[in-house]
Amino acid sequence: MSSISTEFQTLFGHQPEVISEAPGRVNLIGEHIDYSEGFVLPFAIANRTHAAISRSSDGLVRISSHQRRNNIFSISITDVKPGSKGDWEKYVLGVIWSLGITEGLNILVDGNVPAGAGLSSSAALECAVAVALNTLLNLGLDDKELARASQKAENEYVGMPCGIMDQSVSIMGKAGSALLLDCRDLSSELIPFSVADAGLELLIIDTQAHHALVDGGYAERRAACESAASKLGVNSMRELTMEQLLAGKDKLSDVEFIRARHAVTEIARVLSTVEALKRGDFTEVGSLINQSHNSLRDDYAVSCPELDVAVDAALSAGALGSRMVGGGFGGSAIALLRVEDVDKAKTAISESFEKRSFKKPRFFTSLPSAGASASLTTKLQ
Ligand code: GLA
């Protein structure tokens, strides 16, 4: 019996009916273009969130977590709608709401995706609950529908206007590959990402910085792309070419122009990265990763001193490429390094942080890992 089952039994007095797991993610390249219908290239990481769930006949939804196990949050299923009570529980409630569930549930979650590190702990939580309920209640939803339902939970219940990348890769990720995702229709292609075979490692650097700008700054970037698209007569940045953008420069504010320039160039960089990976050309992959960071820092303005220092220190220690990942304003950066340079890079980054009195960075690494899964526990009981 898994430990989440034992803990569930202690908490609720019976076995869970379903147990699921869903991973966090890093994004190799393709940042801030999912909501512009662009292409992205993330992969699922080994760190994941687990959920154990049973049905309850009393119409109550009870939620607890391993991290706060003495505390059971409780709400009537009829009160599960946007604006309800709840803190982190809203990610769980949002999924229950977006899937249209009408019965009571007992839910326990546990996980090791670091929160606030820009590695999508929220998508991991949403997707763990979504795949569990899909299996438990026989909803028959496919991967795309589950990703969209999880995104809807975050957009409309939690109130964060995120795109579709994190939930898609948490559900569709596969071990050994990055996921080339077309955010317009969620079609995807697995792109083998075998860094270890090339003597490389992808280091994940959690800067431990969390700047307050996150929510407003994200929504503002998204709004700038939408208003640039509407002024230029296209549906999204995906339809815009660099020629059209330059020709329409006068219709845009300076800020809209540089935000759009990031989107257009970043979409092209994702496709170039896929080509370079297919050729095994990691030098080119590194260079595209660097260009992505520069564009996020200068045109999109979503980096911060901690991320820039981490990237510069990684490059000075020999990284082939390094950049911030995720929404920005803090969180994590990645560095593509030769295995023999990894320790040097960690030292260089730690020393640079200490010199500036930043918080101590944390280091992870992860190979591309499997996406979400769920199984009924009847056989275990
Ligand atoms: C956050 C959002 C994603 C995506 C990234 C930036 O992680 O949840 O939808 O927009 O930022 O690429």
Side-chain angles (χ1 to χ4, degrees), residues 50-219:
H50 298 261
I53 304 185
S54 71
R55 283 167 287 189
S56 156
S57 53
D58 62 3
L60 288 182
V61 175
R62 295 182 191 79
I63 305 173
S64 189
S65 75
H66 173 74
Q67 288 68 24
R68 299 177 182 77
R69 73 195 122 199
N70 295 324
N71 186 3
I72 300 184
F73 172 93
S74 175
I75 184 171
S76 164
I77 186 71
T78 53
D79 292 334
V80 177
K81 33 182 146 9
S84 78
K85 62 177 180 176
D87 176 26
W88 66 271
E89 295 90 355
K90 283 188 177 172
Y91 293 93
V92 177
L93 296 173
V95 173
I96 296 171
W97 168 77
S98 74
L99 291 176
I101 310 298
T102 53
E103 59 191 303
L105 298 163
N106 298 313
I107 303 177
L108 173 65
V109 297
D110 184 13
N112 62 1
V113 186
L119 301 175
S120 284
S121 57
S122 48
L125 176 55
E126 291 151 9
C127 294
V129 173
V131 296
L133 292 176
N134 192 37
T135 299
L136 177 64
L137 305 174
N138 253 315
L139 303 178
L141 300 176
D142 66 20
D143 287 356
K144 294 180 190 178
E145 290 167 326
L146 287 169
R148 295 240 188 252
S150 302
Q151 181 199 21
K152 184 175 173 192
E154 190 152 342
N155 287 171
E156 296 178 32
Y157 208 103
V158 179
M160 155 68 179
C162 67
I164 191 70
M165 169 171 73
D166 305 343
Q167 293 80 5
S168 300
V169 67
S170 182
I171 287 175
M172 301 178 203
K174 295 275 180 294
S177 292
L179 185 78
L180 172 62
L181 180 75
D182 181 340
C183 297
R184 180 141 69 186
D185 59 9
L186 301 194
S187 58
S188 62
E189 183 187 340
L190 291 172
I191 308 295
F193 183 63
S194 36
V195 271
D197 294 350
L200 302 173
E201 183 175 308
L202 192 82
L203 181 68
I204 304 170
I205 307 137
D206 174 8
T207 64
Q208 302 240 51
H210 310 292
H211 293 292
L213 253 171
V214 184
D215 294 345
Y218 186 94

Side-chain angles (χ1 to χ4, degrees), residues 225-359:
C225 287
E226 285 164 4
S227 98
S230 117
K231 288 183 185 171
L232 297 174
V234 291
N235 286 319
S236 68
M237 294 291 114
R238 165 72 170 275
E239 291 177 10
L240 195 64
T241 62
M242 190 47 97
E243 292 69 37
Q244 282 171 303
L245 174 62
L246 292 172
K249 189 168 191 263
D250 292 347
K251 296 186 190 147
L252 304 180
S253 70
D254 292 347
V255 167
E256 283 165 346
F257 175 75
I258 55 175
R259 302 292 189 257
R261 184 167 63 187
H262 164 75
V264 173
T265 57
E266 184 77 353
I267 292 173
R269 280 188 289 272
V270 172
L271 300 177
S272 303
T273 302
V274 169
E275 292 313 310
L277 281 174
K278 287 181 175 169
R279 293 194 307 271
D281 184 350
F282 284 102
T283 308
E284 178 64 9
V285 172
S287 152
L288 289 157
I289 286 176
N290 291 336
Q291 290 166 38
S292 171
H293 184 75
N294 294 344
S295 178
L296 287 159
R297 183 192 60 206
D298 302 336
D299 277 358
Y300 224 64
V302 288
S303 190
C304 66
E306 291 86 347
L307 287 165
D308 291 339
V309 166
V311 164
D312 290 344
L315 291 175
S316 72
L320 277 67
S322 183
R323 67 174 202 87
M324 55 155 281
V325 290
F329 309 112
S332 294
I334 53 170
L336 185 60
L337 288 149
R338 287 177 199 84
V339 170
E340 61 271 24
D341 290 335
V342 171
D343 286 340
K344 197 164 69 169
K346 287 182 185 170
T347 308
I349 296 164
S350 299
E351 284 176 1
S352 305
F353 270 48
E354 210 180 325
K355 211 183 290 167
R356 288 168 183 79
S357 308
F358 293 163
K359 278 192 196 154

